[in-house]
């Protein structure tokens, strides 16, 4: 059963009517509903195209958070072979909101890390809805160090509303862990590619996305704070999230123009959740192209380019 977003309600009605017709036809084989169903399907396809032709930033936030959108686990399963998960930060615990390990991408040994939100109630609770604790970032640091030691390209898949803000996380040094993870991204002498596959929220996302190349799926978002959080601070009203989403410039289209992201990856019509295999394939192709762009570069060159990339973002902002 499809989960429809609030702006997709007219689409839900049309697709619901088409499904009702097909259900009646299954009960009564003498009914001929082919023409009516085809007409409804065409109407639904046209409406879907119209709805997604020019999404507002807030609607893009809704699409980025869609529960049926493919998650990190789905990308790893489809794009990587010989995946061997590595667990724990060798200090406190294993954080299930962060998954990662050794794998092969198109036959090449790599290290892959990502946020995993889970896809049902049990797994979402286990994964803490993709909100990492300090041990998650320290696990990521350990894997980055291993990738650097063995010369493995680093691939990160970002999908988090932000780092977990709970009391225990703060007691164990959440801010320090995020800062150390960001610092480690800047230090490793291997190609590093990051893809925002859903939400890229706050420093919790930056800690994985301080990479040589940053790509965003077409309907993903990447910002310093959620629209609801921004609205609560600026207007003392979380219902102003639509205005906040506009002001934050958090879409892939805005961020590629600003130089924060290097490329936007086109999604299937209606978003990645409507055709997960096609979305995953597009991400795989983008990762391959970005790694190819960095082939043959020395560790020193990669580190310098990565640092300069982020220094230039500030310069561009001052110039504007």
């Amino acid at each position: 059963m499809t989960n429809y977003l609030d702006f997709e309600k007219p689409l839900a009605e049309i697709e619901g009517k088409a499904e009702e017709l097909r259900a009646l036809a299954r009960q009564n084989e003498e009914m001929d509903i082919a023409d009516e169903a085809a007409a409804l399907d065409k109407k639904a396809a046209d409406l879907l195209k119209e709805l997604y032709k020019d999404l507002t930033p807030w609607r893009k936030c809704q699409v980025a958070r869609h529960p049926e959108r493919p998650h990190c686990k789905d990308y790893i399963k489809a794009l990587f072979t010989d995946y061997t998960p590595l667990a724990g930060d060798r200090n406190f615990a294993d954080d299930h909101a962060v998954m990662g390990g050794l794998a092969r991408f198109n036959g090449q040994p790599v290290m892959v890390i990502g946020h995993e939100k889970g896809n049902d109630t049990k797994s979402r609770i286990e994964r803490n809805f993709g909100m990492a604790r300090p041990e998650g970032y320290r696990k990521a640091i350990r894997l980055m160090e291993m990738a650097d030691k063995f010369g493995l390209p680093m691939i990160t898949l970002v999908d988090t509303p932000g780092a977990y803000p709970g009391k225990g996380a703060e007691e164990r040094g959440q801010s320090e862990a995020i800062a150390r993870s960001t610092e480690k991204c800047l230090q490793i002498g291997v190609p590093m590619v990051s893809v925002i596959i859903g939400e890229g929220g706050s420093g919790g996302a930056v800690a994985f996305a301080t990479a040589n190349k940053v790509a965003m799926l077409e309907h993903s978002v990447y910002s310093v704070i959620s629209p609801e959080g921004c609205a609560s601070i600026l207007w003392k009203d979380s219902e102003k999230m639509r205005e906040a989403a506009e002001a934050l410039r958090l879409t892939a289209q805005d961020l590629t123009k600003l130089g924060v992201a290097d490329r936007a990856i086109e999604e299937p019509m209606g978003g990645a959740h409507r055709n997960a295999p096609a979305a995953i394939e597009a991400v795989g192709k983008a990762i391959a192209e970005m790694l190819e762009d960095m082939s043959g570069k020395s560790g020193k060159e990669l580190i310098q380019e990565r640092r300069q990339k982020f220094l230039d973002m500030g310069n561009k902002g001052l110039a504007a």
Side-chain angles (χ1 to χ4, degrees), residues 31 40 70 85 90 94 149-150 158 167 169 221 257 281-282 316:
M31 286 184 66
L40 287 170
R90 300 296 186 267
D94 182 41
K149 181 178 180 179
F150 294 105
V158 178
K167 180 174 179 285
V221 293
K257 288 177 186 175
E281 183 181 352
K316 287 177 183 177

Side-chain angles (χ1 to χ4, degrees), residues 114-128:
H115 300 96
E116 174 56 43
K117 287 183 171 181
N119 53 14
D120 57 27
T121 302
K122 183 180 178 181
S123 62
R124 284 170 189 148
I125 292 170
E126 180 190 356
R127 304 283 185 176
N128 202 33

Side-chain angles (χ1 to χ4, degrees), residues 45-320:
D46 291 342
L47 180 56
L48 182 67
K49 191 179 293 185
E50 184 64 28
L51 288 172
Y52 278 80
K53 184 172 66 176
D54 190 20
L55 290 178
T56 64
W58 172 243
R59 286 184 175 181
K60 281 186 178 288
C61 287
Q62 292 178 286
V63 177
R65 296 169 176 173
H66 197 287
E68 293 172 6
R69 196 173 177 86
H71 294 150
C72 178
K73 197 172 182 180
D74 303 311
Y75 285 94
I76 290 177
K77 183 178 180 181
L79 297 177
F80 299 86
T81 56
D82 299 330
Y83 173 64
T84 303
L86 299 173
D89 65 347
R90 300 296 186 267
N91 183 41
F92 182 77
D94 182 41
D95 186 351
H96 296 294
V98 175
M99 62 184 297
L102 298 162
R104 289 182 184 274
F105 177 74
N106 291 342
Q108 178 184 15
V110 298
M111 185 73 76
V112 58
I113 304 173
H115 300 96
E116 174 56 43
K117 287 183 171 181
N119 53 14
D120 57 27
T121 302
K122 183 180 178 181
S123 62
R124 284 170 189 148
I125 292 170
E126 180 190 356
R127 304 283 185 176
N128 202 33
F129 299 88
M131 295 184 290
R133 297 176 170 88
E135 45 272 24
Y137 294 104
R138 292 180 179 130
K139 173 166 70 173
I141 292 168
R142 185 170 74 84
L143 269 55
M144 289 182 205
E145 288 175 342
M146 188 182 295
D148 192 30
K149 181 178 180 179
F150 294 105
L152 304 174
M154 189 81 233
I155 299 167
T156 64
L157 302 169
V158 178
D159 189 14
T160 179
Y164 184 60
K167 180 174 179 285
E170 296 298 333
E171 288 173 343
R172 295 193 298 280
Q174 182 71 292
S175 298
E176 186 266 350
I178 292 170
R180 293 291 183 191
S181 182
T182 306
E183 179 185 41
K184 185 58 64 178
C185 288
L186 290 168
Q187 292 174 340
I188 59 176
V190 294
M192 185 168 180
V193 166
S194 181
V195 183
I196 316 296
I197 58 174
E199 286 184 277
S202 192
V206 175
F208 280 19
T210 310
N212 293 90
K213 303 284 185 182
V214 179
M216 295 179 66
L217 274 170
E218 180 184 1
H219 301 312
S220 63
V221 293
Y222 188 24
S223 67
V224 69
I225 192 171
S226 69
E228 296 93 332
C230 178
S232 295
I233 293 169
L234 293 184
W235 292 285
K236 311 298 182 189
D237 181 5
S238 62
E239 291 302 311
K240 294 272 190 181
M241 67 275 192
R242 292 169 182 79
E243 292 87 338
E246 292 278 354
L248 283 167
R249 305 285 292 276
L250 44 61
T251 68
Q253 294 71 25
D254 281 332
L255 294 173
T256 50
K257 288 177 186 175
L258 293 170
V260 175
D262 296 290
R263 63 194 291 171
I265 303 169
E266 187 176 352
E267 296 188 27
M269 181 54 62
H273 57 281
R274 280 188 169 260
N275 190 343
I280 292 170
E281 183 181 352
V283 168
K285 183 179 178 183
I287 292 173
E289 290 173 356
M290 289 188 287
L291 288 176
E292 180 61 30
D293 287 344
M294 291 181 279
S295 65
K297 292 185 178 180
S298 68
K300 189 175 180 180
E301 286 177 305
L302 291 166
I303 292 170
Q304 181 56 37
E305 286 182 8
R306 196 179 306 135
R307 285 175 171 270
Q308 197 60 47
K309 171 189 173 68
F310 285 88
L311 288 172
D312 286 346
M313 286 181 197
N315 291 336
K316 287 177 183 177
L318 289 171

